Amino acid sequence: VGIDPQRLRPMLPCFRTAFDALTAWVEDRERPPASTTVPRPAGDGATDPALLNTCSLRSGS
């Protein structure tokens, strides 16, 4: 993240969100969302709290 904070962000928040979604699909039999690429929100990956602590699987969030 420190190398290019305008293009990179920490991976852990997105990993946690994706793992929770996978658990819901498998254990709760929820339907997965349609396949898509989720764009990275604008912001500085090294300092923006929204990029450091959260990650949405919704496109445009």
Side-chain angles (χ1 to χ4, degrees):
V1 175
I3 295 171
D4 192 354
Q6 294 300 318
R7 294 183 186 198
L8 302 175
R9 68 183 290 184
M11 189 169 97
L12 187 58
C14 291
F15 174 81
R16 287 179 177 153
T17 300
F19 192 82
D20 289 343
L22 179 62
T23 301
W25 302 338
V26 172
E27 294 182 0
D28 302 333
R29 301 201 182 268
E30 290 183 15
R31 293 191 61 123
S35 180
T36 186
T37 299
V38 180
R40 179 194 183 280
D44 186 325
T47 60
D48 187 343
L51 294 176
L52 290 173
N53 300 317
T54 63
C55 184
S56 175
L57 295 179
R58 296 186 186 146
S59 182
S61 295

